[in-house]
């Protein structure tokens, strides 16, 4: 296996994206206590669910602009279909996305079954593309909903690296935590490419690269690493980055809803911390000066 690494996502040459190529956004419906639970332990489960919803809406709107490809929203759980339909309709996005439920494995939201579900989704995406465009062997690019910084520019680069006039069978964007945020597959890559991948682990990206090698993909483009938002430290880092941008810049980059939620939740959390520290100082002062308690 040979890996081409390039930290410049713009690239010096762009392959042509075919009308049959397909973008698949993988998302679970945002629910309190079930979405962004690691973040919820520090930020509050309702707040973390609000962030998950905002991030999903921003991504859907951002990639709505990619009119040159088919777009599929691969969702879980299956029973959330009506909720996703309402979400798309409320944001005026129902015409841009095809809803596809996650199927395969024993549980539609269990990470150990993710390989089976992505395998099934890859087969379905190719069938949908063929029925819509009449063309076979499309490039299919999977993206997650955990990386607000993932841009149209990043994804177009992945498509172009796997385009017919390039020599890459796949292209991947790693996540800084060891996973990956996007994966593009040429039309001849076997759906078994998701078998035996170690999911939700610090070696997930490496494991996926090994799986690509096992199914005979000889050249893989590896792009720049991006940050998933899984914990409070990740959210604060993104907040600090976005603070340096103007309103117009944040809007152009597609961070409208996430910025609103971050401002509300992080500022509230900092205010709560200040109140807690003030109360703790009062307790310490009263412990040092018992007469102050008597006077009160």
């Amino acid at each position: 296996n040979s890996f081409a690494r390039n930290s410049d996502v713009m690239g010096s040459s762009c392959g042509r994206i075919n009308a049959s190529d397909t973008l698949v956004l993988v998302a679970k419906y945002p629910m309190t206590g079930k979405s962004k639970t690691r973040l919820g332990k520090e930020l509050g489960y309702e707040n973390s669910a609000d962030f998950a919803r905002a991030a999903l809406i921003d991504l859907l709107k951002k990639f709505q602009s990619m009119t040159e490809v088919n777009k599929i929203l691969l969702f879980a759980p299956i029973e959330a279909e009506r909720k996703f339909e309402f979400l798309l309709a409320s944001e005026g996005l129902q015409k841009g996305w095809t809803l596809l439920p996650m199927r395969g494995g024993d549980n539609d939201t269990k990470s150990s079954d993710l390989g089976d579900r992505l395998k099934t989704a890859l087969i379905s995406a190719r069938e949908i593309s063929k029925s819509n465009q009449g063309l076979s062997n499309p490039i299919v690019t999977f993206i997650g909903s955990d990386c607000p910084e993932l841009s149209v520019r990043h994804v177009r680069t992945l498509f172009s690296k796997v385009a017919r006039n390039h020599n890459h069978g796949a292209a991947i964007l790693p996540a800084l935590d060891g996973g990956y945020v996007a994966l593009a597959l040429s039309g001849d890559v076997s759906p078994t490419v998701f078998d035996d991948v170690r999911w939700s682990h610090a070696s997930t990206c490496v494991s996926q690269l090994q799986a690509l090698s096992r199914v005979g993909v000889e050249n893989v483009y590896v792009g720049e690493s991006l940050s998933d938002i899984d914990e409070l430290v990740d959210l604060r880092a993104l907040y600090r980055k976005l603070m340096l941008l103007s309103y117009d810049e944040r809007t152009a980059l597609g961070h409208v809803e996430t910025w609103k939620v971050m401002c509300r939740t992080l500022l509230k959390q900092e205010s709560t911390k200040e109140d807690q520290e003030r109360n703790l100082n009062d307790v310490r002062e009263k412990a040092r000066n018992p007469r102050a308690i008597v006077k009160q």
Side-chain angles (χ1 to χ4, degrees), residues 119-267:
K119 181 195 301 185
T120 302
L122 178 57
I123 295 170
S124 297
R126 288 172 173 169
E127 290 174 348
I128 290 171
S129 178
K130 187 174 182 179
S131 64
N132 288 346
Q133 304 294 335
L135 300 173
S136 58
N137 298 328
I139 299 170
V140 177
T141 297
F142 289 89
I143 62 174
S145 56
D146 293 333
C147 181
E149 290 184 284
L150 183 65
S151 68
V152 170
R153 182 167 57 98
H154 288 118
V155 172
R156 281 192 173 131
T157 297
L158 295 185
F159 273 113
S160 70
K161 292 298 181 182
V162 188
R164 284 89 190 153
N165 59 333
H166 280 71
N167 195 32
H168 298 104
I172 194 168
L173 291 180
L176 291 174
D177 63 3
Y180 62 88
V181 300
L183 175 67
L185 300 170
S186 65
D188 56 357
V189 174
S190 170
T192 59
V193 70
F194 295 114
D195 288 352
D196 300 321
V197 173
R198 193 171 187 181
W199 302 108
S200 301
H201 193 270
S203 64
T204 295
C205 186
V206 172
S207 181
Q208 182 65 80
L209 289 171
Q210 292 170 339
L212 284 164
S213 179
R214 285 196 298 271
V215 298
V217 179
E218 295 182 354
N219 293 294
V220 179
Y221 169 82
V222 182
E224 69 171 306
S225 297
L226 299 173
S227 296
D228 277 344
I229 306 299
D230 293 317
E231 299 182 2
L232 186 57
V233 63
D234 305 322
L235 189 64
R236 284 177 173 160
L238 177 61
Y239 180 71
R240 286 193 295 269
K241 287 182 183 178
L242 298 183
M243 277 186 65
L244 302 176
L245 304 179
S246 67
Y247 171 83
D248 289 340
E249 288 171 328
R250 284 193 298 270
T251 301
L253 290 172
H255 296 296
V256 177
E257 300 301 324
T258 48
W259 178 249
K260 291 178 185 177
V261 172
M262 283 191 290
C263 286
R264 174 173 57 80
T265 57
L266 291 178
L267 291 176

Side-chain angles (χ1 to χ4, degrees), residues 59 62 86 96 101 135 163 179 198 211 223:
L59 285 172
K62 187 186 301 184
F86 180 80
L135 300 173
R198 193 171 187 181

Side-chain angles (χ1 to χ4, degrees), residues 23-31 34-36 39 48-63 72-76 84 87 97 102 114 118 141-151 155 173 175 177 180-183 226-230 235 238 254-255 258:
L23 175 67
V24 180
L25 171 56
V26 183
K28 292 193 294 184
Y29 190 79
M31 292 184 285
K34 294 187 177 180
S35 300
K36 294 289 179 190
L39 179 63
S48 65
D50 286 347
F51 174 78
R53 181 183 179 87
L56 176 57
I57 290 172
D58 277 347
L59 285 172
L60 288 166
K61 289 182 175 179
K62 187 186 301 184
F63 291 104
I72 292 175
L73 176 55
L74 179 64
F75 69 90
F84 272 106
L87 185 150
W97 294 87
M102 283 189 185
L114 185 56
L118 292 179
T141 297
F142 289 89
I143 62 174
S145 56
D146 293 333
C147 181
E149 290 184 284
L150 183 65
S151 68
V155 172
L173 291 180
D177 63 3
Y180 62 88
V181 300
L183 175 67
L226 299 173
S227 296
D228 277 344
I229 306 299
D230 293 317
L235 189 64
L238 177 61
H255 296 296
T258 48

